[in-house]
Amino acid sequence: MRPTTILILAILLSCCATLGDCRLEPSLPSSPSRRPQSKMVASLKNGLASGLSAGCVKLVLAPFDTVKTLQQHSRSLDGEKALTLGAAARELLKRGGVGELYSGVAVTVLGSMPSVGLYFGVYHFCKKKGAEYLERNDAASAPLAKTANIALAAAIGNTVASFTRVPYEVVKQKLQTGQYPSTLSAITSMYAAEGFQAFFPKGGVAVQMIRDIPYAVYTLMAYEWFQANWAQQGNGRGQEVPRWKNMVCGAAAGGIGSLFTNPMDVVKTRIQTNPSQFMGIMHCARATLQDEGAAAFMKGSVPRLMHKVPANGLFFVCYEFFRLLLRVEPVAGLESEKKSLKIKSTS
């Protein structure tokens, strides 16, 4: 593996070892002698928990993401067969051995932690504000209003976070497709050629939003639904949902979001890896359809599922773990809020 990959792995393993020695105790309920956490503090803690979780998960599952990117980047013209999962993996191994499967993992981990942390921090804060508004207007128990609140919070969070995701996504995917030998080489060469514009290719931010916002809405809404209609059923008041149920809910929600947004992911990969070939999002979509057919929009869907399903399951379990570690408390005056990614059952 590259030195940067080894360094990131060592840091995360050290963090995990340290956390393993920590004694986790449930957060204590607010009392007159204990000042409750403010919305801002709770949002920051949720952002930190989600960032740490994202870094751990992306490091473990990086090979699937690399294979997916290579499949989506390849174009099957003039009747050529599409690059299969096995062929993509063999090409990567032939290019540089097992370490090539972790291309771009350092920039991915370092970039995703603040990005995901920012996203979930904004999502958590917006969701709380929306829930307060619904309670003031006696609409907190309405399923449609609750769903709209989740979707709007996810959309706002992804809109803000997309601007921080594009630079590291561009560098990561150029490394995965073999355009540069190392992260430092990619950053310096790209900057020398085009300046900061190289990290924000034309249409790069827009296509990131077009993929990320629907993915977040589908995934979070599915996760909340599974939690409310399955995971929390039969639990006593205030009782924690078992971690294995959090994993199943997260995995199922990730699979749904991944399948529904794969066409946008193909377009995103192609625009961010070869921006000079396309004049925009619609041009890329039309060229893909005309040259390769509708099936091209599902390229990389298998390794993407192999990445997203376990990633979401592990992410939400890690997220709950870090929330306990950071002692995130419910915000006073918001009875319907139990956890940032859960909805109380209305049955």
Side-chain angles (χ1 to χ4, degrees):
M1 291 186 188
R2 297 181 176 88
T4 50
T5 302
I6 296 173
L7 177 61
I8 295 296
L9 180 60
I11 292 172
L12 288 178
L13 287 176
S14 298
C15 291
C16 291
T18 302
L19 292 173
D21 292 333
C22 293
R23 182 181 177 184
L24 298 182
E25 297 177 358
S27 299
L28 298 175
S30 299
S31 64
S33 61
R34 182 184 176 90
R35 180 180 296 180
Q37 292 176 358
S38 67
K39 296 182 185 68
M40 185 61 67
V41 171
S43 295
L44 289 173
K45 285 188 174 183
N46 273 282
L48 178 58
S50 57
L52 290 170
S53 302
C56 293
V57 172
K58 285 183 178 295
L59 180 63
V60 173
L61 299 171
F64 296 115
D65 185 55
T66 304
V67 172
K68 181 268 300 184
T69 298
L70 193 60
Q71 279 190 280
Q72 293 180 342
H73 171 74
S74 67
R75 304 189 68 188
S76 40
L77 305 175
D78 300 324
E80 294 179 358
K81 280 189 175 183
L83 189 66
T84 64
L85 187 154
R90 286 192 295 272
E91 183 175 326
L92 287 165
L93 291 172
K94 185 178 179 180
R95 185 199 299 169
V98 176
E100 202 66 24
L101 294 170
Y102 290 87
S103 297
V105 70
V107 71
T108 299
V109 171
L110 293 176
S112 67
M113 290 177 70
S115 177
V116 174
L118 175 63
Y119 163 65
F120 269 99
V122 173
Y123 164 76
H124 179 76
F125 181 77
C126 293
K127 181 183 169 185
K128 282 182 177 292
K129 297 295 288 185
E132 285 181 331
Y133 176 82
L134 293 176
E135 282 193 352
R136 287 197 302 269
N137 290 274
D138 299 322
S141 61
L144 184 59
K146 190 178 293 184
T147 300
N149 180 40
I150 295 168
L152 180 60
I156 295 173
N158 257 301
T159 300
V160 174
S162 288
F163 289 93
T164 65
R165 288 178 184 152
V166 173
Y168 84 79
E169 279 282 324
V170 171
V171 174
K172 177 198 75 171
Q173 293 192 318
K174 286 183 179 293
L175 287 167
Q176 290 175 330
T177 52
Q179 297 181 42
Y180 297 99
S182 68
T183 302
L184 182 60
S185 172
I187 293 174
T188 54
S189 299
M190 290 168 64
Y191 181 77
E194 300 179 64
F196 284 110
Q197 186 177 353
F199 304 98
F200 293 92
K202 183 179 180 181
V205 174
V207 76
Q208 188 82 33
M209 291 183 182
I210 289 173
R211 185 204 67 170
D212 288 352
I213 291 176
Y215 176 79
V217 171
Y218 291 143
T219 302
L220 287 168
M221 287 175 62
Y223 179 76
E224 300 275 4
W225 189 90
F226 286 130
Q227 281 283 333
N229 293 278
W230 175 65
Q232 295 183 22
Q233 295 297 317
N235 278 17
R237 185 177 182 83
Q239 185 179 351
E240 291 291 330
V241 174
R243 289 187 180 181
W244 71 268
K245 284 191 174 183
N246 287 326
M247 178 178 287
V248 172
C249 290
I256 291 171
S258 178
L259 281 176
F260 285 176
T261 59
N262 202 78
M264 291 85 93
D265 192 51
V266 172
V267 175
K268 183 194 82 73
T269 295
R270 294 185 170 189
I271 285 180
Q272 293 185 347
T273 55
N274 287 311
S276 60
Q277 290 188 8
F278 306 104
M279 293 183 291
I281 297 172
M282 292 305 299
H283 177 242
C284 179
R286 283 196 299 268
T288 299
L289 181 63
Q290 291 172 1
D291 297 340
E292 303 171 73
F297 292 106
M298 294 309 292
K299 280 187 173 184
S301 58
V302 174
R304 191 167 185 240
L305 278 171
M306 294 171 71
H307 177 274
K308 291 295 184 182
V309 169
N312 279 274
L314 291 172
F315 174 83
F316 283 113
V317 170
C318 292
Y319 180 67
E320 296 299 327
F321 172 81
F322 283 116
R323 278 174 57 87
L324 283 174
L325 185 70
L326 296 171
R327 290 177 170 269
V328 180
E329 296 177 353
V331 175
L334 207 60
E335 296 179 0
S336 63
E337 179 66 26
K338 189 177 181 183
K339 286 180 179 286
S340 68
L341 293 178
K342 295 180 182 178
I343 289 184
K344 218 173 186 179
S345 177
T346 57
S347 59

